Amino acid sequence: MRASRLLSLLLLLQTRGRMTATELAEELEVSVRTVYRDVEALSSSGVPVYADRGPAGGYQLLDGYRTRLNGLTAAEASSLFLAGMPGPAAELGLGEVAANAELKLLAALPPEPRSRATMMRERFHLDVPGWYRGADDVPHLAEVAEAVWDHRPLRMRYRRWGRQEVDRVIHPYGLVLKGGSWYMVAAPPGGDPRTYRVSRILAMETLQGRFERPPGFELAEFWQAYAKDFREKMYTAEAVIRFEPGAESLLEYTLSMPVPMPEPDPDGWRTVTVPIESVRHARWLLLRMGASVEVLAPAELRDLMRQSVADLGKIYQS
């Protein structure tokens, strides 16, 4: 543990230049007294680190000194694809190794590319969960990730839609982060892969032995096909609606999809055909837009909208 911390301290000084003991302690999540001891240990081992006193002082390496100890470990290399997502990396149990990998990469770069990499990190940030919602609670995510990596079967208790609880033995093939939610792609022994939302795993046990991944299975290809099929199965009907001028963005936000923009009628309203899951689900969505939208078809949806408006009128008239 201390050797890893000493290396991190050395790389911090190499990439950032002069740093105070307080700054180093905050980065390494240790006490200032520990930083003093670690700097003394580095100096005793021949690393040319020295201190400047005063308000603008701090520790720094002798000009031109560069350590060669910046090779990535296997865990750090595998975490590089999460370097821009500290939240998901931490959920997977890779927060520390992702940070170490990023630090080693910065230390290995010459000054100008290192500066550009730092500027990139300062100017671009990836925030995965959608607005007005937090990330799922996923206490079993790290265990699932380890099983995916080691090809270990899992026994789990899972809550399906409708709150039905089932027991499953599965072979986990991979994990997908979609809109702030983690999904596991897995298959029962000898069965076809399907998806499970990790937050719905109620209990889990890693089983003995290992499984073989299906030859040619590609996680990204499977997910792309699954998402396309899910969308086609979800939107089983269509509705014809018209909406008032200025409601375009609200309609797209309400439906969570782009909406075509045909030429408006003389009053400025536009008429479009949009996919819907069901007439009842569409009623729930479109009521949120109030009088900014009118349903023209199907007749069943128009009748549901009319009845809902009448019911609302009775409530508020009283």
Side-chain angles (χ1 to χ4, degrees):
M1 179 66 179
R2 191 191 186 200
S4 175
R5 190 177 68 243
L6 289 174
L7 178 58
S8 295
L9 190 155
L10 179 56
L11 293 174
L12 282 169
L13 293 178
Q14 182 172 309
T15 56
R16 304 189 187 181
R18 182 185 290 113
M19 296 183 68
T20 66
T22 301
E23 291 171 339
L24 287 167
E26 291 176 354
E27 287 287 342
L28 299 172
E29 298 182 351
V30 296
S31 67
V32 172
R33 185 178 297 274
T34 298
V35 170
Y36 293 153
R37 291 197 296 265
D38 287 349
V39 169
E40 183 178 353
L42 285 177
S43 181
S44 299
S45 65
V47 176
V49 57
Y50 65 94
D52 289 328
R53 299 186 181 277
Y59 294 108
Q60 69 180 88
L61 297 172
L62 186 68
D63 288 345
Y65 178 83
R66 294 182 64 83
T67 178
R68 299 289 183 181
L69 300 177
N70 50 21
L72 297 177
T73 68
E76 291 164 352
S78 65
S79 72
L80 284 179
F81 78 105
L82 290 167
M85 299 185 290
E91 291 176 341
L92 288 169
L94 295 172
E96 183 178 352
V97 292
N100 287 341
E102 184 179 0
L103 183 58
K104 288 182 178 181
L105 281 178
L106 288 174
L109 292 173
E112 184 174 351
R114 183 194 311 158
S115 175
R116 291 180 63 86
T118 302
M119 290 173 60
M120 181 74 72
R121 181 177 57 184
E122 292 172 349
R123 287 159 174 76
F124 297 94
H125 175 68
L126 180 60
D127 186 12
V128 178
W131 288 105
Y132 313 116
R133 55 161 295 181
D136 287 345
D137 184 19
V138 283
H140 300 288
L141 180 61
E143 187 177 357
V144 173
E146 186 174 354
V148 168
W149 190 257
D150 293 336
H151 296 187
R152 298 288 296 276
L154 296 171
R155 177 182 288 115
M156 68 175 181
R157 186 153 188 83
Y158 185 76
R159 187 179 70 248
R160 302 175 62 182
W161 287 104
R163 308 195 69 81
Q164 178 188 6
E165 296 182 9
V166 295
D167 293 308
R168 294 283 187 269
V169 173
I170 54 170
H171 294 169
Y173 296 158
L175 285 164
V176 176
L177 181 61
K178 172 70 171 178
S181 297
W182 285 100
Y183 295 87
M184 172 177 58
V185 177
D192 295 326
R194 56 180 303 178
T195 62
Y196 301 87
R197 191 159 176 167
V198 178
S199 61
R200 294 202 183 110
I201 298 175
L202 305 177
M204 174 167 289
E205 175 189 2
T206 302
L207 302 180
Q208 296 297 319
R210 298 177 184 273
F211 64 86
E212 293 292 331
R213 287 171 63 89
F217 177 82
E218 293 289 344
L219 180 62
E221 292 180 4
F222 171 85
W223 183 261
Q224 185 177 13
Y226 165 80
K228 181 177 182 293
D229 182 64
F230 179 82
R231 182 179 177 85
E232 291 175 351
K233 289 181 178 178
M234 182 173 65
Y235 295 112
T236 58
E238 291 182 334
V240 181
I241 61 175
R242 60 191 298 264
F243 56 93
E244 69 177 1
E248 296 86 358
S249 297
L250 178 59
L251 180 61
E252 291 187 337
Y253 176 80
T254 300
L255 299 179
S256 299
M257 66 178 67
V259 175
M261 294 297 158
E263 290 297 320
D265 62 21
D267 296 328
W269 288 58
R270 302 176 192 267
T271 300
V272 296
T273 300
V274 295
I276 59 173
E277 294 185 39
S278 66
V279 292
R280 294 190 177 277
H281 184 260
R283 174 191 61 172
W284 175 77
L285 285 178
L286 295 175
L287 279 174
R288 297 161 63 181
M289 295 192 62
S292 297
V293 66
E294 178 189 2
V295 173
L296 303 179
E300 182 183 1
L301 177 56
R302 185 174 175 88
D303 289 342
L304 281 175
M305 296 289 288
R306 183 188 297 111
Q307 185 61 51
S308 297
V309 172
D311 293 342
L312 286 171
K314 292 177 183 178
I315 292 174
Y316 288 103
Q317 283 176 0
S318 63

